[in-house]
Amino acid sequence: MKRISILGSTGSIGQNALDLVRQAPGQYRVVALTGGDNIYRLASDAREFGAEIAVTAHENRLAELRDALEGSGIAAAAGRNALNEAAARPTDWVLSAIVGAAGLEPGLAALRDGVTLALANKESLVSAGPLLMSAAARSGARILPVDSEHSAIFQALSGENTAAVERVIITASGGAFRDWPLQGLAEATVAEASRHPNWTMGQRITIDSASMFNKALEVIEAREYFGFHPDQIEVLVHPQSLVHALVGFRDGGLMAHVGPHDMRHAIGYALNWPDRLVLPVDRLDLAAAGSLEFFNPDNARYPALGLARQVMEVRGLSGAVFNAAKERALDHFIAGNLRFTDMHGVVAGTLDHLSSEPGLIDAEITLDSVHRLDHLGRIAVDDLVGRKPG
Ligand code: NAD
Ligand code: MG
């Protein structure tokens, strides 16, 4: 039986993963589940799946988690170290589905010989791609992408010579405001930005889809994971979200990955890799889908994509700054301190500010330097906004 742990099990990706486990009785043994605020969900899932340990990120919620697990024999723990320890427990497979830069350390802790780290947490690749990839290479662990576009690219590359790849095309739905008049965007509310046209996901990635900060992260993620040159990575708006990505080869062939909007495909693919097992996802009826449309993204509507190009050019620790600034700008938007359209300027300003300080962004990439730049990025955003998000 495959032994698995899920970091961020109470979230959208985590719940989809547990659904796959639920629907394949006897196939997987759940070792550790981790979450944040949602103690009820964490404890009830730990009981349902007979986990060995449940961990909340919040130390002040430990007593509540212990109470909720009383009599079950399941260990309870809390805090950052406990999360890292849970990630490092012996298993065959770990899903990194924590949202944000908080996923980096547990992801690194999970890497050891023979383990597969299924990576939904794109923020860790954007912030510290070289750190994660070299730790995997050193430890003998394997990282598999779970982001739907990157899973699509991975699948299209299967059996291919990567030297023959000319370009990859990542698709984007266009998010909540794809068809809004540009002048209306400044007044967009958090509730409006939280409605994705196609996918049901956590709130933060949904808002990032409306601004295309999510696609900006994904372009960098493709660069860090697959090692493509930035010029090889293209983005197309595809309102139907059925083609997740395409890989173009030097003979002109273009391999597209097509499927319904259901993250259980990408999660299940990583869960069972290198096998393909039956998955409970809808089979696509292309005739019912009718037409597939593709457009070039409009830079005025989605300026975040330009920032991804800038980050890929500079590299070093600019990914850590970009991700932290994006996370903090989003905190401010959610808190009502920043307009939707002002997130871009604040992130760009933070990148410019920290790039101009000698020795910061070009310092060696270590966990400490990533944490430092992440911290400085958040402070710079607060300074530009003139307050803290809380
Ligand atoms: P979510 O907000 O629904 O869930 C996040 C999970 O992380 C929860 O379990 C939460 O308790 C936990 N968490 C939050 N803050 C934490 C912290 N500081 N420390 C430890 N744990 C913490 O998010 P999601 O939509 O499931 O996304 C998870 C990750 O997967 C993100 O990196 C996202 O970009 C990526 N992703 C999500 C989707 C999707 O369909 N939802 C698709 C592709 C990639
Ligand atoms: Mg994606």
Side-chain angles (χ1 to χ4, degrees), residues 123 125-129 217 220 224 311-312 314-325 351 361 370 373-374:
E123 297 90 338
L125 268 180
V126 172
S127 302
L217 295 180
I220 302 169
E224 296 297 335
V311 167
M312 289 191 293
V314 178
R315 289 206 81 193
L317 289 156
S318 64
V321 173
F322 177 61
N323 180 67
L351 272 171
I361 268 179
V370 170
L373 270 290
D374 179 289

Side-chain angles (χ1 to χ4, degrees), residues 122 146-150 170-171 199 201 205 214-215 218 221 263:
K122 64 192 88 183
V146 169
D147 216 348
S148 57
E149 298 77 1
H150 304 72
I170 295 175
T171 62
W199 298 86
M201 309 186 285
I205 186 174
N214 180 51
K215 213 48 57 179
E218 289 183 359
E221 181 186 9
M263 283 307 294

Side-chain angles (χ1 to χ4, degrees), residues 6-356:
I6 301 178
L7 315 175
S9 65
T10 56
S12 169
I13 289 287
Q15 291 292 297
N16 275 307
L18 283 176
D19 187 57
L20 291 174
V21 174
R22 184 180 290 119
Q23 298 203 39
Q27 235 163 283
Y28 312 102
R29 164 110 188 71
V30 174
V31 175
L33 295 179
T34 84
D37 288 326
N38 195 340
I39 303 296
Y40 168 79
R41 180 82 278 142
L42 179 60
S44 67
D45 287 342
R47 282 177 184 272
E48 177 186 348
F49 293 96
E52 290 172 13
I53 184 168
V55 185
T56 165
H58 308 301
E59 285 182 31
N60 59 353
R61 307 293 298 275
L62 180 58
E64 211 180 315
L65 181 61
R66 278 207 181 111
D67 284 351
L69 290 172
E70 205 184 323
S72 65
I74 300 166
R80 195 167 142 182
N81 290 339
L83 264 185
N84 294 343
E85 279 164 27
R89 285 203 165 210
T91 51
D92 303 304
W93 191 84
V94 179
L95 174 61
S96 170
I98 290 171
V99 65
L104 173 60
E105 269 191 64
L108 282 169
L111 295 173
R112 62 188 172 272
D113 193 20
V115 82
T116 295
L117 179 69
L119 194 64
N121 180 261
K122 64 192 88 183
E123 297 90 338
S124 51
L125 268 180
V126 172
S127 302
L131 208 58
L132 213 51
M133 298 308 281
S134 63
R138 266 200 318 275
S139 65
R142 178 178 290 279
I143 299 180
L144 292 179
V146 169
D147 216 348
S148 57
E149 298 77 1
H150 304 72
S151 174
I153 295 169
F154 186 87
Q155 294 181 51
L157 284 175
S158 170
E160 300 285 354
N161 174 6
T162 48
V165 173
E166 215 166 47
R167 60 179 181 151
V168 295
I169 302 170
I170 295 175
T171 62
S173 67
F177 305 136
R178 186 187 61 225
D179 302 321
W180 275 39
L182 272 185
Q183 317 82 275
L185 288 185
E187 305 310 322
T189 65
V190 172
E192 287 163 339
S194 303
R195 277 183 228 123
H196 198 282
N198 301 329
W199 298 86
T200 308
M201 309 186 285
Q203 186 191 30
R204 298 183 70 88
I205 186 174
T206 303
I207 301 175
D208 283 348
S209 298
S211 61
M212 277 226 200
F213 269 114
N214 180 51
K215 213 48 57 179
L217 295 180
E218 289 183 359
V219 168
I220 302 169
E221 181 186 9
R223 199 245 166 278
E224 296 297 335
Y225 182 81
F226 296 103
F228 298 129
H229 189 275
D231 294 344
Q232 291 179 291
I233 308 170
E234 302 170 19
V235 174
L236 279 182
V237 176
H238 168 45
Q240 293 77 20
S241 295
L242 297 177
V243 177
H244 304 307
L246 306 96
V247 178
F249 294 93
R250 60 188 172 200
D251 60 0
L254 204 50
M255 301 291 285
H257 182 283
V258 189
H261 348 107
D262 184 340
M263 283 307 294
R264 292 177 309 170
H265 169 76
I267 300 166
Y269 178 82
L271 178 59
N272 300 318
W273 184 90
D275 294 329
R276 279 190 189 268
L277 302 187
V278 175
L279 292 177
V281 299
D282 286 347
R283 272 41 178 176
L284 200 57
D285 179 348
L286 278 173
S291 54
L292 302 177
E293 301 162 284
F294 299 93
F295 309 102
N296 285 316
D298 172 2
N299 289 333
R301 187 176 295 275
Y302 304 118
L305 288 177
L307 291 179
R309 301 278 160 205
Q310 190 183 322
V311 167
M312 289 191 293
E313 216 164 276
V314 178
R315 289 206 81 193
L317 289 156
S318 64
V321 173
F322 177 61
N323 180 67
K326 181 228 63 114
E327 288 190 23
R328 197 66 163 189
L330 179 58
D331 292 339
H332 281 290
F333 172 62
I334 291 173
N337 302 337
L338 202 59
R339 293 189 305 181
F340 180 78
T341 42
D342 289 339
M343 286 191 283
H344 167 263
V346 163
V347 176
T350 298
L351 272 171
D352 288 348
H353 170 59
L354 292 178
S355 305
S356 66

